[in-house]
Amino acid sequence: MALLLSLLTTLVLCSYGPVGSLGCDLPRDSVLLSKETLVLLGQMRRVSPSLCLKDRRDFRFPQEMVTGSQLQKAQAVSVLQGTMQQTLSLFHTERSSAAWNATLLDQLLTVLHQQLEGTKSCMEEVTGKEASARTAKDLTLRYFRATLWRYFRGIRLYLQEKKYSDCAWEVVRMEIMRAFSSSAKLQERLRSKDGNLQSS
């Protein structure tokens, strides 16, 4: 199943050639905010990962969506936006508030909100361009959003299954760190390649 998903994603990505800038630039501080998110997530650790080995789970983060060489800029921004939106939703809950240090959690939510607003502005700029008529109906964007939704749904179901235990939250924290590490690299590509994601 994982192989089939990977092959399908490759086919979808390759159906669109690499493009240059679509007239949308992420805020200059987007990479710094992403790194700040990783720092905060690291500081939020409450349980040693070695105590939670039996709770580990492979959530199958769709890595191909942030490393694909044929990724268009609007698609890449959509992936970033979806990741931040879903992460913000995951941590902005009563269960999450009970699990984490309140100060660090508030800081994390603030940084996530700032990043989300930046990607929203970027996407709005894209949809204001003539080329965005196709982008808005792009099946690839829908596919990416659906894939991200399934990924985060798996995380939420895992937390429910584990009854929101400390170890379950620790496993999720590490997973989100891995996801954001990949997202940070994608943001760096967006900033450094002037929208051309053909090479890393």
Side-chain angles (χ1 to χ4, degrees):
M1 184 65 183
L3 178 60
L4 179 60
L5 177 62
S6 179
L7 289 173
L8 177 60
T9 304
T10 301
L11 288 172
V12 171
L13 289 175
C14 289
S15 65
Y16 298 92
V19 298
S21 173
L22 292 180
C24 159
D25 290 307
L26 290 171
R28 293 185 180 277
D29 62 351
S30 60
V31 175
L32 289 176
L33 287 173
S34 186
K35 290 180 179 178
E36 185 177 349
T37 300
L38 286 170
V39 170
L40 287 168
L41 284 168
Q43 292 175 342
M44 287 170 66
R45 190 181 86 171
R46 293 178 54 196
V47 182
S48 172
S50 63
L51 299 177
C52 303
L53 296 178
K54 62 179 176 52
D55 294 289
R56 287 187 303 181
R57 180 74 56 89
D58 181 6
F59 296 102
R60 300 182 182 277
F61 177 71
Q63 191 70 34
E64 67 279 356
M65 294 201 313
V66 293
T67 59
S69 62
Q70 300 297 314
L71 213 57
Q72 291 190 16
K73 189 168 186 180
Q75 296 165 356
V77 175
S78 179
V79 170
L80 293 173
Q81 184 181 43
T83 301
M84 293 165 191
Q85 199 165 34
Q86 291 283 352
T87 302
L88 187 60
S89 175
L90 180 67
F91 282 97
H92 197 262
T93 62
E94 186 176 341
R95 297 275 192 179
S96 179
S97 297
W100 304 111
N101 174 281
T103 301
L104 290 174
L105 180 59
D106 284 345
Q107 291 176 1
L108 176 67
L109 294 177
T110 297
V111 173
L112 285 171
H113 182 73
Q114 290 174 342
Q115 291 181 84
L116 183 58
E117 288 303 306
T119 58
K120 282 182 178 178
S121 299
C122 190
M123 286 301 290
E124 287 171 2
E125 191 176 341
V126 169
T127 55
K129 306 294 181 181
E130 182 179 350
S132 68
R134 178 183 64 79
T135 302
K137 299 177 182 178
D138 194 343
L139 291 177
T140 310
L141 288 180
R142 292 189 217 172
Y143 169 78
F144 284 173
R145 289 167 185 156
T147 302
L148 276 175
W149 182 86
R150 286 193 297 271
Y151 167 71
F152 278 95
R153 181 173 181 270
I155 291 176
R156 290 187 175 88
L157 289 176
Y158 166 80
L159 285 169
Q160 291 177 19
E161 173 191 330
K162 296 293 184 177
K163 302 186 185 302
Y164 302 92
S165 69
D166 288 345
C167 269
W169 275 115
E170 174 59 23
V171 169
V172 168
R173 184 193 66 82
M174 292 189 295
E175 177 65 23
I176 297 300
M177 284 191 70
R178 281 190 286 269
F180 260 85
S181 178
S182 296
S183 297
K185 292 176 184 176
L186 178 57
Q187 288 186 43
E188 289 174 353
R189 290 171 63 196
L190 280 168
R191 294 292 308 171
S192 64
K193 298 296 182 181
D194 190 28
N196 189 344
L197 302 178
Q198 187 172 11
S199 59
S200 57

